[in-house]
Amino acid sequence: MVLAAFREAAPDAVELTEIARRIETALDRSTDGERFVTGLLAQVSDAGHLVVLNQGHPAPLLVTTDGRAELIEPSVSLPPFGLTALAGADPQQEGVTRSTLHAGDRILFYTDGLSEARDGTGRFYPVAERAGPLFAEGRPETALRRLRADVAAFTGSAPNDDSALLLLEFGPGNPA
């Protein structure tokens, strides 16, 4: 239902907040109020303008060409889709983060299967600290393989939870 609302709204929406509103409406219409989902909406222009709207999802990791790694976290955290109205949150005013990307910068989008992977002492995988250096060079596919191997080394085995990873490298005029 969330994907259907996204696919319906995204082609015509000017702002990510409009897509978020449509997802909220779809959840409100079709549930008894007890269903929610974390989500992250992101938009990158050809000029490198990055807009991220985060509703309860792990923050994406930005790795710049100079090797700096930082989580793209909103100044105000929004609750997951389906809980926004209950929390009195306003995606129009809160939760949107804006950045500028430069050629070669990379963004890692991931699910909590990565950020909640634990080592033998119960410590969570420190995404910015460990994943950032893995993305400084090499092809994106190689970087993702290095990340999977690092998580396995950190946890001592394959993670217990599923994780989805998406690594984007910005190239002006090259949406790939």
Side-chain angles (χ1 to χ4, degrees):
M1 146 182 36
V2 170
L3 287 175
F6 171 81
R7 288 178 181 140
E8 181 181 317
D12 301 319
V14 175
E15 298 287 332
L16 294 180
T17 52
E18 172 63 17
I19 299 169
R21 187 188 63 71
R22 300 273 295 271
I23 291 170
E24 286 284 339
T25 300
L27 283 168
D28 288 346
R29 246 191 336 241
S30 60
T31 70
D32 57 8
E34 293 184 24
R35 194 177 304 179
F36 64 92
V37 62
T38 67
L40 189 138
L41 303 174
Q43 181 178 31
V44 179
S45 75
D46 287 342
H49 301 292
L50 171 67
V51 181
V52 176
L53 188 141
N54 189 339
Q55 294 210 217
H57 200 72
L61 177 68
L62 171 63
V63 181
T64 61
T65 54
D66 63 4
R68 183 175 43 92
E70 65 183 50
L71 295 172
I72 302 172
E73 298 190 80
S75 57
V76 176
S77 295
L78 290 176
F81 291 108
L83 300 177
T84 305
L86 293 173
D90 182 3
Q92 296 280 3
Q93 304 298 322
E94 307 163 336
V96 175
T97 305
R98 298 177 191 280
S99 298
T100 300
L101 301 176
H102 304 281
D105 287 352
R106 292 179 172 180
I107 305 170
L108 174 68
F109 297 96
Y110 56 93
T111 59
D112 62 5
L114 175 66
S115 56
E116 293 179 2
R118 296 176 186 245
D119 68 8
T121 67
R123 188 171 63 111
F124 289 120
Y125 184 79
V127 175
E129 175 187 318
R130 291 187 65 128
L134 300 173
F135 297 130
E137 56 187 49
R139 296 170 33 127
E141 299 85 356
T142 304
L144 287 173
R145 279 195 295 279
R146 285 193 304 252
L147 176 59
R148 288 278 187 207
D150 189 59
V151 172
F154 179 82
T155 62
S157 65
N160 293 331
D161 193 3
D162 291 337
S163 65
L165 306 172
L166 174 64
L167 179 61
L168 302 177
E169 182 173 313
F170 178 70
N174 179 12

